[in-house]
Each structure stands twice: as structure tokens, then as C-alpha cells.
Amino acid sequence: NYSKNVSSLKDFFFGGLETLYTFLTTSLPRYKILEEEQQKMLDQTVLTLKRLSDTRWASRKHATDAVIQSLPAIQEALDRIRVHRDSSPKAASEADGLLKKVRTFEFTLMLTSWNTLLKKIFALSNYLQQESLDVNTAVQLIDACMLQITELWSQEVFVAMENMARRFGDTV
């Protein structure tokens, strides 16, 4: 039962990221608004939101990285789209729903938690793809990664991620 709950939370979160990506990138006017907000907030560095892939965990890591780095700009863009005179009622409603979602503590906690986990898996994956890697080193790397992932379940690490999500939420 616990694994079903975790799986449905994962699907709900990553489904939300996919919806956010699709909403902001499939319309040139909406994408331009996002770019303008990113340029204002990110010192001219425009980050591209990433599409998720069902088969590559790396795409999920890249997607969470992009959202973490540009969440304030994403929120401002959604707010502008929500009230923009040229937005259709449907687009305004979708922007409002997405804005409410990305402003929740649950969203920022899931974002920071998944990003922390995916960074560890991504690093391991990159090491395991090296041609010169021998089996003994691979086993050691896997064991070390599993230990790091297990440590994410500690109360201390959870409280640290919870605090990070709260601070992250306070800044956006």
C-alpha cells in the first residue's frame, strides 16, 4: 500500500511537471512571456524547461533542475498569462491552476526531494556508463549510492529538505 501511494505521488508530481512544460512551451506567446520573466530574474540566462521521458531518468533530473532554477520566473510568467488580455479563458484558467499548484509547499517539497534523489542517481548512471569501469568499482559505486539514498530516509535529512522547500517557497 505504501509503495502505491509513493508511486501515485510520483506520477502526480511528474505529471504536473509535464503539464507545466507543455503549457508554457507549446504556445509561442506564452513561451515569450516565460523568456521575458527569466531574463528579468536570471541575469539574462534563459533556461529551457525540459520534456520528461518515460524511459530516461536523466530527463527527470534535468526537468527538476530547470524548474528549480527558474521557479520564480515560471510563477511570474503564469501570473502574467493568467491576467493577460490576449489569453483565452482556457489558457487563463490553466495558468491559474498551474500557478496554484507550483506555489504549494507540497510541490516545492516534492521538487526539492526528487531533485536531491535524482542527482544521486544521475551521478551514478554517468559513472556506470564509462567504458573503463570495472565490475568491482561498479559494485562499490552502486553500494555507495544506495547508502546515500538510504540516508535520505533519515529524519534529519527529511527535516533539512523540508526546511529547504519552505525557504524555497518563501523566495518565490
Side-chain angles (χ1 to χ4, degrees):
N1 195 22
Y2 176 75
S3 63
K4 279 186 184 179
N5 289 341
V6 170
S7 182
S8 66
L9 283 172
K10 172 192 69 81
D11 293 343
F12 181 75
F13 173 72
F14 284 108
L17 281 187
E18 185 70 22
T19 301
L20 184 65
Y21 168 84
T22 301
F23 179 76
L24 290 171
T25 62
T26 58
S27 160
L28 189 57
R30 291 193 298 254
Y31 187 71
K32 288 290 184 195
I33 289 172
L34 174 61
E35 281 185 330
E36 290 168 9
E37 291 302 326
Q38 286 179 323
Q39 287 172 344
K40 281 194 271 185
M41 295 183 176
L42 301 172
D43 298 325
Q44 306 300 321
T45 305
V46 176
L47 301 169
T48 304
L49 293 182
K50 306 295 181 185
R51 176 173 219 85
L52 297 177
S53 166
D54 290 334
T55 58
R56 297 208 49 207
W57 278 94
S59 74
R60 294 172 188 264
K61 185 252 185 218
H62 296 307
T64 59
D65 281 345
V67 173
I68 280 177
Q69 292 174 22
S70 60
L71 189 56
I74 290 169
Q75 290 184 338
E76 284 300 317
L78 290 170
D79 194 43
R80 280 182 55 194
I81 294 163
R82 185 178 61 85
V83 298
H84 198 275
R85 60 178 160 51
D86 292 334
S87 290
S88 69
K90 181 180 183 218
S93 177
E94 288 177 14
D96 186 59
L98 286 167
L99 183 60
K100 287 175 181 170
K101 181 175 187 150
V102 300
R103 283 186 170 160
T104 64
F105 169 72
E106 290 80 7
F107 181 84
T108 58
L109 180 61
M110 293 283 283
L111 183 63
T112 55
S113 300
W114 274 108
N115 189 256
T116 301
L117 174 64
L118 292 169
K119 282 182 180 180
K120 293 179 184 319
I121 294 170
F122 183 75
L124 174 64
S125 176
N126 285 339
Y127 280 117
L128 293 177
Q129 292 177 45
Q130 295 176 1
E131 287 183 29
S132 61
L133 185 68
D134 63 88
V135 174
N136 289 333
T137 304
V139 169
Q140 290 173 349
L141 289 170
I142 292 168
D143 288 344
C145 185
M146 290 302 296
L147 179 61
Q148 290 176 349
I149 290 170
T150 302
E151 290 169 353
L152 293 177
W153 286 90
S154 75
Q155 182 69 24
E156 180 181 312
V157 173
F158 178 78
V159 168
M161 280 195 273
E162 182 180 30
N163 290 335
M164 182 178 13
R166 287 190 195 285
R167 282 191 310 273
F168 188 64
D170 289 342
T171 62
V172 293

